[in-house]
Amino acid sequence: AVEKALGSTGRLKAVLCVAGGWAGGNAQSPEFLKATDQMIRSSVWPASISAAVSAKYLEENGLLVLPGSAACVNPTPGMLGYGLAKAAVHQLTASLAAPGSGLPTGTAVAAILPEMLETPANRQYAAAGTDFDTWTPLNHVAELLHSWVEGRDRTPSGSLVKLVTRSGVTKTEIVK
């Protein structure tokens, strides 16, 4: 399917994985194992598939971006499955940026780590009084990724890039 979509060009400038989800619960939660499986399927597998697609179809000096989480650079006792899956994506990012990962020469790999994305689904579950001025708009994420694809202001390979929005203004912070 990828080869057919690429046609005669045969290579991609970038692979942008934006799959994900959220599941809460601690080790005592009745749904803990189900939530963990759900998070692996919605975060780790898409990131791994994106890595495999990149290894085969990304052009040299291309870009691979994976979906991490700002919350998951710290312990996540109330959302164990989510934390486990996103930590795996963070580790995958670092490993893919290292020599010998199988990616084309010069590939830049990064994970974006939003605190909270401004989406209809997230708004649906927001608590009363939520400060939406701290939520990162999707158009900002799109603009950031577009600039990286075009080679502008591209973060160093292996970076975990936190997206911090305050008073409606979004900035990036390299966590690692």
Side-chain angles (χ1 to χ4, degrees):
V2 175
E3 290 165 351
K4 184 177 181 181
L6 289 174
S8 62
T9 61
R11 293 281 171 209
L12 299 168
K13 286 179 74 170
V15 174
L16 309 175
C17 179
V18 293
W22 184 86
N26 64 24
Q28 291 180 336
S29 300
E31 299 294 311
F32 166 58
L33 296 176
K34 181 179 178 182
T36 299
D37 181 57
Q38 172 191 343
M39 289 310 310
I40 289 169
R41 289 173 187 264
S42 67
S43 291
V44 178
W45 275 114
S48 300
I49 291 165
S50 296
V53 167
S54 295
K56 188 167 183 178
Y57 298 107
L58 197 62
E59 66 185 29
E60 287 191 0
N61 301 308
L63 174 68
L64 170 60
V65 178
L66 302 175
S69 168
C72 298
V73 296
N74 296 306
T76 57
M79 49 184 182
L80 291 175
Y82 180 79
L84 181 150
K86 292 300 184 174
V89 172
H90 297 174
Q91 195 282 333
L92 182 61
T93 301
S95 292
L96 288 168
S101 70
L103 293 182
T105 303
T107 297
V109 184
I112 57 169
L113 283 60
E115 291 180 328
M116 181 62 77
L117 292 174
E118 170 65 62
T119 68
N122 285 344
R123 271 190 178 260
Q124 178 182 351
Y125 296 106
T130 296
D131 180 5
F132 296 110
D133 284 343
T134 63
W135 289 24
T136 302
L138 294 182
N139 66 335
H140 177 82
V141 177
E143 290 168 6
L144 175 67
L145 295 179
H146 182 258
S147 71
W148 289 355
V149 169
E150 295 300 317
R152 296 185 314 271
D153 303 320
R154 192 178 277 185
T155 188
S157 192
S159 295
L160 302 180
V161 182
K162 188 174 178 182
L163 307 179
V164 181
T165 304
R166 299 293 181 265
S167 301
V169 177
T170 302
K171 297 182 180 182
T172 59
E173 298 175 6
I174 296 178
V175 175
K176 183 175 177 183

